[in-house]
Amino acid sequence: MNSSLMFSVDAWFYIYFAIGAMVVFLIGYGIAKKTQKQDSGFSFILLMSVVLFTALAYWFNGAAREVFMGTLPWLINLVFGGVLLIVFLAGSKMIFKRI
């Protein structure tokens, strides 16, 4: 395999997080624009981002075990991911207030 494409498990965690956040935001934004209701779009973003983060945390738990990641790095990554989720939701809410 190409070594430039080899990322660590925690790097994949953040890559998947970013991709999921972009997709969820774009769909939620589309819902808000189509329905002209900011609450509908943000509710979608809130629900789907929590569901996706839970699924991502479940995946990360298994992947971290396979590479024998220590407990502290695993916990730090999940806590930081939770903080990023809160920042993402707060930023989305601010953007939706301007729609």
Side-chain angles (χ1 to χ4, degrees):
M1 213 177 210
N2 189 351
S3 63
S4 66
L5 295 177
M6 297 292 290
F7 294 113
S8 62
V9 172
D10 51 342
W12 282 113
F13 176 76
Y14 295 112
I15 291 168
Y16 291 147
F17 183 94
I19 292 170
M22 286 187 292
V23 169
V24 166
F25 181 81
L26 290 174
I27 294 171
Y29 185 79
I31 289 170
K33 281 295 202 184
K34 186 166 182 101
T35 63
Q36 293 298 316
K37 295 181 181 176
Q38 296 87 358
D39 291 340
S40 297
F42 184 73
S43 295
F44 175 82
I45 288 176
L46 179 63
L47 177 66
M48 288 307 298
S49 61
V50 169
V51 168
L52 287 175
F53 185 74
T54 302
L56 186 58
Y58 181 76
W59 168 83
F60 184 64
N61 186 33
R65 284 184 187 169
E66 287 182 19
V67 296
F68 303 109
M69 179 182 283
T71 303
L72 193 56
W74 173 83
L75 183 62
I76 289 170
N77 280 300
L78 281 182
V79 168
F80 186 64
V83 170
L84 285 177
L85 178 63
I86 292 168
V87 169
F88 168 70
L89 291 172
S92 297
K93 186 68 174 174
M94 286 190 291
I95 291 170
F96 274 59
K97 283 184 179 182
R98 295 179 184 215
I99 294 177

